[in-house]
Amino acid sequence: MTIDYSIKVTQCEPMPGYKLKDTCSDGATGIFEMSRYVERGMFKPLKDTQTFGRVRLTFGVPSWPGDIDIAAERVRSGMQII
């Protein structure tokens, strides 16, 4: 699979179970599973569900308070298309 580094997330909605429902600039919509990330490194604050729910898009990248973000291309390549 070729990774498109120009991809952006255009819509992002938090869901229960540390999931994000995303739409990307190529039109794909899917669910990205964040549960494996919330146990590690900079993502640990997201284990708090209220903090996780504060996701916002910053220049097409899912971001949270505290300078936490996840690359749009990671979201696009790892999401389950719906």
Side-chain angles (χ1 to χ4, degrees):
M1 170 185 226
T2 303
I3 297 175
D4 181 355
Y5 291 99
S6 68
I7 204 83
K8 303 288 183 222
V9 176
T10 59
Q11 293 180 9
C12 184
E13 176 186 337
M15 298 177 65
Y18 304 108
K19 296 176 183 174
L20 298 173
K21 181 178 179 184
D22 300 294
T23 300
C24 294
S25 55
D26 65 354
T29 298
I31 306 296
F32 184 73
E33 177 69 54
M34 287 285 299
S35 62
R36 67 181 180 160
Y37 293 93
V38 299
E39 299 290 338
R40 303 188 318 202
M42 70 180 223
F43 296 106
K44 283 184 178 181
L46 301 182
K47 192 162 186 180
D48 175 77
T49 56
Q50 288 186 334
T51 302
F52 183 80
R54 295 177 62 194
V55 65
R56 301 290 180 263
L57 291 176
T58 305
F59 302 109
V61 175
S63 304
W64 293 266
D67 293 326
I68 301 169
D69 63 34
I70 189 155
E73 63 269 13
R74 163 95 45 204
V75 171
R76 175 60 182 94
S77 66
M79 71 184 192
Q80 180 180 355
I81 303 298
I82 55 173

